């Protein structure tokens, strides 16, 4: 199966549209016997996800073998 982990350590804000995308990814991956999770969420991203009832997306520890990890980073400062 396919396994995807998102590193949100540099994400300060998660909108409702962003949460819908995360849930869509999870639904699609689970549908093909894969997995989806969020690792290293920043405090603010973790708070929003937990308050919205999405704490089950937060994963800790080692991820499954053959996992694709994606780190979401802040855009460079323009100033």
């Amino acid at each position: 199966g396919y396994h995807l982990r998102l590193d949100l350590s540099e994400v300060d804000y998660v909108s409702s549209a962003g949460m819908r995308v995360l849930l869509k990814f999870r639904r699609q991956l689970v549908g093909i016997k894969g997995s989806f999770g969020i690792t290293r969420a920043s405090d603010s991203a973790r708070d929003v996800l937990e308050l919205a009832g999405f704490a089950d997306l937060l994963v800790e520890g080692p991820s499954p073998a053959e996992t694709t990890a994606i780190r979401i980073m802040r855009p460079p400062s323009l100033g």
Side-chain angles (χ1 to χ4, degrees):
Y2 296 93
H3 306 284
L4 179 65
R5 297 291 182 262
L6 292 182
D7 177 335
L8 298 186
S9 59
E10 294 192 33
V11 173
D12 295 321
Y13 177 76
V14 180
S15 69
S16 59
M19 285 188 273
R20 281 192 300 271
V21 169
L22 297 176
L23 291 175
K24 181 179 179 180
F25 281 150
R26 179 177 65 176
R27 192 175 310 119
Q28 290 176 339
L29 286 165
V30 168
I32 59 171
K33 299 190 186 332
S35 68
F36 173 79
I38 295 170
T39 62
R40 299 182 57 212
S42 66
D43 289 341
S44 58
R46 177 179 293 277
D47 289 345
V48 168
L49 292 167
E50 287 176 346
L51 286 171
F54 300 145
D56 59 322
L57 290 177
L58 301 167
V59 296
E60 302 292 335
S63 48
E66 300 178 17
T67 294
T68 300
I70 300 172
R71 184 171 185 200
I72 309 298
M73 300 179 68
R74 289 186 184 104
S77 174
L78 298 177

